[in-house]
Amino acid sequence: MERTQMSLSTAQRPAGPPGDPAWFRHVLGQYPTGVCVITAQPADGPPIGMVVGSFSSVSLNPPLVGFYPSVTSETWPHLREADNWCVNILAAHQSDVCRRIATAPLAERFEGVPWRPAPSGAPIIEGAVAWIDCVPVAVHDAGDHKIALAEVRHLDTASSELPLLFFRSGYGSFAPLTLTAYDPEMRLTRPLRHFELIRAIAQELPDQGLRCLVTAPVSESVVVVGQLDPPSASASDRPTTLVGQRLPFRPHGPSIFEAWAPAAEQAAWVAKFTPDSQEPEIQALARIRERGFSIGLGSEGHRRFAAALERLAAEPGTVPNEELDALVASLDYEPAELTDEVLAQARVVSAPVFDGGGQPVLALTVFGFKARPDVVRAAIAAVTGCAAKATRSLGQAPRRD
Ligand SMILES: Cc1cc2nc3c(=O)[nH]c(=O)nc-3n(C[C@H](O)[C@H](O)[C@H](O)COP(=O)(O)O)c2cc1C
């Protein structure tokens, strides 16, 4: 009802006069634009740049692009004299670069803005999503603006970031309405698909009474991509899930995704540890590889970590990342001996699932052992067997090296 009234009143309102600048801007501001910086490198002096939203592709044959500089712009006369322009399409995180170039004095616009020369010598701003190196070919009058046309000589994309957008006087970025999630490098989509492909195999674990989390390395984090619980596992009436939760993946955390990494990556990982804990970490990685699984003991830290995860499952965002990091740092992993006494303290066991390239792409983590060594041994056999089956189903013989 309210919606109808609102749209009626908008529709019935008399349109404003086109000569009213505020009204003109208000109506035209409903049309979003990207944000570009047109750059040039004068023969003498620092590079120059001008922020424009009016950039557009114009012609394919010949390849022409254009933009509309204001006749009152102080930058435009300098651009007009340049032999080349480079159009930089800014990325969504570059609104600070945009503000700097739009507002700083002409000679200081590139201070603190990293750039490299395009083939013509005009600046390509580091981090821009694409650049178009071009030669000015025509300038036409258009009221209080000019129509500036340029012929494209070189062009390339430079990052997979989303572009910066300008809409209703504010900056933003793009959210697609397409049927696939926007994940151009498949960072999350690939692990989700891996999990989907092995889900039926992993189901053996809850069927044997074990609770199971399936995690994957996603950028610098480990993300829960699946959770399989025995039917009776949920403590509360409300079903909860950790799927989507990022777990800190850093020194002191479980290293299962690093244990089979190439030597250089593993060395870089170990170098992040404090000098005292580098040797223990090297040994821990070797134990994971030899055993084919990672084991975490049920220290007080582990109990608090598990409680924090329960809280997060019930209400995402309730545990600050710093608190999770501190809890992960207190965990106790990869004991040297697996005696009955040690196994009685086991809290989690994780086994890797490898992809066709031999890298661990998922970890199956089981827990809920009730401090019984026989249950832990059975869980180790179950989770490693299940992970090996899952690895084979993804087209790879399990690694044991
Ligand atoms: C998002 C955004 C889009 C802009 N688009 C244009 C444009 O298409 N044409 C233009 O002349 N100025 C545009 N401007 C303004 C110029 O970047 C610049 O601020 C203006 O020309 C005044 O500076 P100047 O006198 O130093 O050139 C835009 C500014 C912003 C922040």
Side-chain angles (χ1 to χ4, degrees), residues 53-372:
S54 58
F55 172 73
S56 169
S57 86
V58 174
S59 154
L60 261 181
N61 187 16
L64 294 178
V65 292
F67 67 100
Y68 307 143
S70 162
V71 292
T72 61
S73 158
E74 287 176 24
T75 319
W76 167 240
H78 298 270
L79 279 178
R80 180 86 181 89
E81 279 175 19
D83 294 332
N84 301 89
W85 297 332
C86 186
V87 181
N88 289 260
I89 300 177
L90 293 186
H93 62 85
Q94 290 185 303
S95 57
D96 53 340
V97 174
C98 170
R99 281 194 194 92
R100 165 144 205 106
I101 294 188
T103 56
L106 190 62
E108 295 166 21
R109 291 190 182 162
F110 280 80
E111 279 175 20
V113 177
W115 61 274
R116 63 184 190 279
S120 72
I124 296 175
I125 296 171
E126 294 297 346
V129 295
W131 55 269
I132 300 134
D133 202 16
C134 48
V135 173
V137 289
V139 177
H140 301 289
D141 289 331
D144 56 13
H145 279 62
K146 300 279 182 182
I147 297 174
L149 297 174
E151 190 167 325
V152 178
R153 292 292 153 85
H154 301 92
L155 73 171
D156 204 353
T157 54
S159 95
S160 59
E161 297 286 320
L162 290 168
L164 182 63
L165 300 185
F166 191 73
F167 176 55
R168 292 184 184 163
S169 313
Y171 297 102
S173 100
F174 176 73
L177 299 175
T178 52
L179 289 177
T180 42
Y182 188 80
D183 185 16
E185 288 171 23
M186 306 275 286
R187 287 188 182 148
L188 196 52
T189 307
R190 193 173 291 116
L192 286 171
R193 288 182 179 171
H194 281 141
F195 172 59
E196 205 49 42
L197 291 171
I198 64 129
R199 177 199 286 275
I201 295 170
Q203 184 60 40
E204 284 175 18
L205 298 167
D207 288 351
Q208 292 180 37
L210 294 163
R211 300 186 67 186
C212 177
L213 287 181
V214 184
T215 55
V218 179
S219 303
E220 295 294 294
S221 308
V222 169
V223 173
V224 180
V225 293
Q227 178 168 341
L228 299 162
D229 282 329
S232 57
S234 178
S236 74
D237 301 328
R238 197 153 55 101
T240 57
T241 179
L242 277 169
V243 169
Q245 176 65 46
R246 185 190 76 89
L247 301 179
F249 180 44
R250 55 195 55 180
H252 302 301
S255 327
I256 194 155
F257 293 114
E258 288 300 327
W260 285 270
E265 189 187 321
Q266 225 177 73
W269 165 262
V270 171
K272 290 183 193 163
F273 285 67
T274 57
D276 289 355
S277 45
Q278 291 188 359
E279 190 48 39
E281 176 62 14
I282 291 169
Q283 285 171 17
L285 292 172
R287 282 184 199 127
I288 296 175
R289 274 196 310 278
E290 278 158 27
R291 290 171 178 162
F293 61 86
S294 163
I295 181 163
L297 301 186
S299 58
E300 178 54 26
H302 245 305
R303 266 181 288 280
R304 288 176 37 224
F305 184 54
L309 291 186
E310 291 287 343
R311 260 195 289 154
L312 276 174
E315 229 166 309
T318 45
V319 183
N321 278 338
E322 304 80 61
E323 192 180 326
L324 267 189
D325 282 352
L327 286 172
V328 168
S330 71
L331 302 182
D332 192 1
Y333 279 96
E334 326 314 340
E337 304 291 333
L338 296 183
T339 59
D340 273 3
E341 201 183 329
V342 171
L343 287 183
Q345 300 168 47
R347 193 156 190 107
V348 289
V349 175
S350 305
V353 177
F354 298 93
D355 68 356
Q359 286 306 306
V361 287
L362 297 175
L364 307 183
T365 298
V366 288
F367 49 105
F369 311 136
K370 306 184 177 68
R372 284 177 43 195

Side-chain angles (χ1 to χ4, degrees), residues 14-58:
D20 174 352
W23 183 248
F24 190 86
R25 279 205 199 94
H26 167 70
V27 175
L28 274 295
Q30 307 310 305
Y31 188 62
T33 71
V35 181
C36 295
V37 179
I38 315 287
T39 64
Q41 176 62 75
D44 48 349
I48 54 172
M50 175 173 176
V51 174
V52 302
S54 58
F55 172 73
S56 169
S57 86
V58 174

